[in-house]
Amino acid sequence: MTTSNIQAWADTRETSHEIAEAIFELAGNDEVLAQQIWEEGNDEVLPLAFAKTQEDHLFWGEEKIDRKNV
């Protein structure tokens, strides 16, 4: 999946692009597996997502994630 497609996927789910990128990285660009990870979670997503940004907060759907809690 291309970066712009991942960003569109993230926007549709109101999820930070960094989280979406981490999900797709862990899913091996498999959209079905990525959706499953987005719905069910995965302990590896957040550390990977925060490594991609300097932001202190990211969003996973309606949930606001603070860097200090990861």
Side-chain angles (χ1 to χ4, degrees):
M1 191 170 245
T2 66
T3 300
S4 62
N5 288 346
I6 292 172
Q7 290 176 352
W9 186 92
D11 291 344
T12 299
R13 290 157 181 82
E14 298 180 354
T15 295
S16 297
H17 295 171
E18 296 86 356
I19 288 179
E21 290 171 11
I23 288 172
F24 273 88
E25 189 173 321
L26 292 171
N29 281 330
D30 179 328
E31 190 169 357
V32 172
L33 182 54
Q35 182 65 32
Q36 182 180 355
I37 291 171
W38 186 82
E39 291 173 2
E40 298 175 7
N42 180 309
D43 292 341
E44 297 176 53
V45 172
L46 295 177
L48 188 57
F50 276 107
K52 297 175 179 295
T53 185
Q54 296 298 313
E55 297 292 324
D56 289 327
H57 311 285
L58 295 175
F59 289 89
W60 191 319
E62 295 180 3
E63 185 177 355
K64 181 180 178 182
I65 312 292
D66 293 321
R67 179 186 292 274
K68 66 183 179 185
N69 294 332
V70 174

